[in-house]
Amino acid sequence: MADTALSSRQYLDLKAQTRRQTHLTRILAFLVASGMLGAGIGLQVYPFSLLWAVAPLLAYPLLIQLLAMVAEKRGVAAATLSQTLLQADALCIGFACACLWFAVVPSLALLAIVHANAMSHGGWRPWLGSVAMTTLGAGAGGALFYLLDPTFEPVPRAPLSLVVLALLGLAVYMGASAFFAQRQTRYLRLAQQQLREQQRQALNMSRKLAKYLPPQIWGSLFTGKRDAKLETRRKRLTVFFSDIKGFSAISEELPLDTLTAMLNTYLSEMTRIALRHGGTIDKFIGDAVMVFFGDPKSEGAQEDAFRCVAMAIEMQRHMRLLRQRWKHEGIEQPLEIRIGINTGYVTVGNFGTDSRMDYTILGTDVNLASRLESACRPGQVLISESTHELVQDRIQCRSVGDISAKGFNRPIPVYEARDLKRHAGGRNRYVSAETEGFALHMDLERIHNFDKKRILGTMARSATDLKDNKPVSLDFEAEGFVLHLDSDRLHHRERPRVLEFMGRAARRVQEQLRL
């Protein structure tokens, strides 16, 4: 744990660690160069007059560090600065080779140091530059010594002691470089681990935040297609409002835990249906749900309106399954929803302040959708004339006349959306019947294949027992299917009709579902 804490602290300034290690390797390289030159002078391989060259070799790393600090403060790019310093190092190492009178082994040791450093920090292009700068430094140093002493000439062979010292210096440098590289690898590995952890935390946080935003908006913000700023636009949308009839009275009768579970189930199921149809969920206000179609993504006004009405019809059908589930859980209140839909031009976008904004819609046509929902009978879907014009070719509708809506001076023609026209002729995905002691509701598109045998077996056993006048008390539920049967409450004259309906339902399951 202590090592991890130390590494984490070092990771926080990984660039500083890299700069420090680069500086230490540079100091070590020039210590090796000045050490060989000093040892050669001590061994009288080189004249004492060359002692002046030791000081610049020792001072060079410190001077370079000061220059690097000044360059960083002036905003010089780190990559540019690093490459420039590599070339400067190569130039000075070339000069050091001249100071060593081009002795083969000591010079090769210095060249190995500088070129290995260039290759590891930049690749072959910086290495080629280092070769050129080393040659330039060596040539300049040789020319300088020749000017100072015309008798100057290279000494290719160095004494054994200087060769040993050069190889020892090279070994120390390579060992230190390997040690620094290992530390750098550890820092990078830790940095990757910490980055992965931060990414995981950011992903978890984004998933949590996504629950407070419509998925379409969260997705566009996450990918950068949309910016979180105050902006609005006029757009033609189809707006949906729904609420549960008498919810306030029901909420006073039910225990808090039961009410919370019921409401969360209702909102979860309605949200699932809305998202499957491509709706943008604006908000939940208690039991009320507001959804719109056409932003941030639109399939065209006609398709947007159709999807909205199809969603509303599915929601009404799905409420039958939910009501049966809630009855089984002891909620006897008849829970039914009212739905109003209107299509028109609204203002959509981010409203609020820079620190707190809300993505929503405003306008008269939004209010009309809300008024239609208020005027709707439980279990109905009321749509405006503008929506009816867009969906009448694909939705079975009937006119219910005009209504007077608050805030509107003229009567509003409205229509009831009853079903999709493609469901005409017995192809409806929904099967539903209910009477005292019996209820069967199913959505054939939601029933899983792996539930088919279980559903058919349950229906067959209960029908057989009912036909044989055996007592039956059953509450069965699967995805997209609910069956309630209580023979004690079922009137005798209803039994043939119930058996006939169960037979037809079983045939639908048998024919339309494939294992």
Side-chain angles (χ1 to χ4, degrees):
M1 290 296 293
D3 182 60
T4 302
L6 176 64
S7 298
S8 299
R9 190 163 58 249
Q10 291 168 333
Y11 161 72
L12 294 177
D13 194 8
L14 186 59
K15 289 184 178 179
Q17 289 289 338
T18 302
R19 288 194 300 267
R20 187 177 300 113
Q21 292 184 8
T22 301
H23 179 61
L24 289 175
T25 55
R26 179 179 289 112
I27 290 176
L28 184 57
F30 282 88
L31 279 177
V32 171
S34 58
M36 286 192 292
L37 181 58
I41 294 172
L43 294 170
Q44 297 182 354
V45 176
Y46 309 118
F48 187 78
S49 59
L50 272 180
L51 190 61
W52 65 269
V54 175
L57 292 175
L58 290 174
Y60 170 80
L62 301 177
L63 179 62
I64 285 296
Q65 185 180 20
L66 292 175
L67 292 176
M69 292 173 60
V70 172
E72 286 180 3
K73 289 182 179 180
R74 293 187 176 182
V76 177
T80 302
L81 179 61
S82 175
Q83 296 303 318
T84 302
L85 295 183
L86 282 176
Q87 305 309 319
D89 291 348
L91 183 69
C92 290
I93 289 296
F95 176 76
C97 291
C99 292
L100 294 172
W101 288 9
F102 303 108
V104 174
V105 175
S107 296
L108 286 177
L110 293 181
L111 292 175
I113 289 173
V114 71
H115 294 311
N117 195 34
M119 185 64 75
S120 63
H121 283 78
W124 66 272
R125 288 187 178 179
W127 173 74
L128 289 177
S130 294
V131 170
M133 296 303 291
T134 305
T135 304
L136 179 61
L144 175 63
F145 290 129
Y146 182 78
L147 290 174
L148 294 176
D149 183 3
T151 62
F152 169 78
E153 60 182 39
V155 181
R157 296 188 61 182
L160 180 61
S161 55
L162 190 57
V163 170
V164 171
L165 183 62
L167 295 177
L168 181 62
L170 178 61
V172 170
Y173 176 83
M174 291 302 181
S177 296
F179 173 74
F180 289 146
Q182 186 273 336
R183 285 175 61 89
Q184 191 72 7
T185 301
R186 185 161 60 91
Y187 295 154
L188 290 174
R189 186 165 56 248
L190 180 63
Q192 291 173 343
Q193 293 174 355
Q194 190 155 344
L195 180 60
R196 284 194 294 269
E197 178 63 19
Q198 290 173 348
Q199 289 174 333
R200 186 187 64 80
Q201 293 175 356
L203 182 59
N204 289 338
M205 182 61 68
S206 68
R207 286 173 177 169
K208 293 177 181 178
L209 292 175
K211 297 179 181 180
Y212 294 90
L213 292 170
Q216 300 93 331
I217 300 302
W218 175 81
S220 59
L221 287 171
F222 196 75
T223 57
K225 295 180 179 179
R226 180 184 294 266
D227 194 9
K229 61 182 180 180
L230 296 174
E231 60 179 6
T232 59
R233 57 200 171 279
R234 292 283 292 175
K235 202 169 182 181
R236 193 182 188 191
L237 306 181
T238 297
V239 186
F240 164 102
F241 276 91
S242 73
D243 76 341
I244 300 176
K245 174 183 174 290
F247 180 77
S248 298
I250 294 171
S251 63
E252 295 177 359
E253 300 174 9
L254 294 176
L256 182 59
D257 291 346
T258 303
L259 177 67
T260 301
M262 183 207 75
L263 184 58
N264 286 340
T265 298
Y266 166 73
L267 294 177
S268 296
E269 293 294 310
M270 297 302 107
T271 296
R272 179 184 57 78
I273 295 172
L275 294 178
R276 189 170 67 249
H277 285 271
T280 300
I281 300 172
D282 187 299
K283 59 176 68 71
F284 302 128
I285 309 172
D287 63 305
V289 180
M290 179 179 173
V291 183
F292 56 85
F293 286 73
D295 194 81
K297 184 179 179 180
S298 174
E299 300 295 335
Q302 192 168 17
E303 182 65 20
D304 291 340
F306 170 74
R307 290 188 180 191
C308 185
V309 177
M311 174 193 74
I313 293 171
E314 183 175 348
M315 286 179 172
Q316 288 289 15
R317 297 290 176 84
H318 190 65
M319 279 298 294
R320 299 175 184 177
L321 278 74
L322 291 179
R323 281 197 297 271
Q324 196 61 43
R325 180 190 302 176
W326 289 329
K327 280 185 180 180
H328 179 63
E329 295 172 356
I331 302 174
E332 296 294 336
Q333 291 85 344
L335 298 168
E336 294 185 287
I337 60 175
R338 305 177 296 186
I339 295 175
I341 297 173
N342 178 45
T343 302
Y345 284 92
V346 305
T347 303
V348 57
N350 295 324
F351 297 84
T353 67
D354 289 334
S355 58
R356 176 69 172 89
M357 60 185 66
D358 187 20
Y359 174 75
T360 188
I361 55 176
L362 298 175
T364 303
D365 284 299
V366 179
N367 297 336
L368 179 55
S370 178
R371 300 292 183 267
L372 293 178
E373 177 261 312
S374 300
C376 185
R377 293 201 313 268
Q380 234 183 2
V381 177
L382 283 189
I383 64 175
S384 67
E385 187 175 30
S386 59
T387 303
H388 176 258
E389 291 175 354
L390 294 171
V391 303
Q392 59 183 331
D393 293 337
R394 303 166 70 183
I395 302 290
Q396 297 176 21
C397 303
R398 73 176 184 90
S399 174
V400 295
D402 297 345
I403 65 168
S404 297
K406 181 180 178 181
F408 294 86
N409 296 327
R410 57 179 178 81
I412 306 297
V414 294
Y415 299 81
E416 179 187 2
R418 310 195 67 168
D419 203 353
L420 277 65
K421 287 188 174 180
R422 67 169 181 256
H423 289 165
R427 291 176 293 155
N428 200 320
R429 58 184 274 193
Y430 301 99
V431 176
S432 183
E434 189 169 355
T435 188
E436 182 70 21
F438 171 77
L440 190 154
H441 306 289
M442 64 183 186
D443 180 351
L444 290 167
E445 291 188 6
R446 290 188 58 208
I447 296 176
H448 297 304
N449 285 335
F450 54 77
D451 283 329
K452 179 179 177 179
K453 287 185 177 179
R454 197 159 59 99
I455 290 172
L456 291 174
T458 301
M459 294 175 69
R461 286 191 300 271
S462 55
T464 300
D465 291 344
L466 189 62
K467 188 183 298 183
D468 295 340
N469 292 319
K470 294 181 180 179
V472 181
S473 180
L474 175 69
D475 281 295
F476 176 82
E477 182 175 353
E479 181 70 20
F481 180 92
V482 292
L483 172 63
H484 166 73
L485 184 58
D486 186 348
S487 58
D488 292 337
R489 297 175 57 198
L490 181 64
H491 199 280
H492 185 72
R493 67 171 179 269
E494 294 286 345
R495 294 194 177 200
R497 294 172 57 189
V498 167
L499 288 171
E500 181 184 357
F501 184 82
M502 290 178 67
R504 291 201 308 268
R507 284 194 294 273
R508 292 286 300 277
V509 172
Q510 184 72 46
E511 293 170 0
Q512 295 187 228
L513 293 179
R514 295 287 182 265
L515 288 175

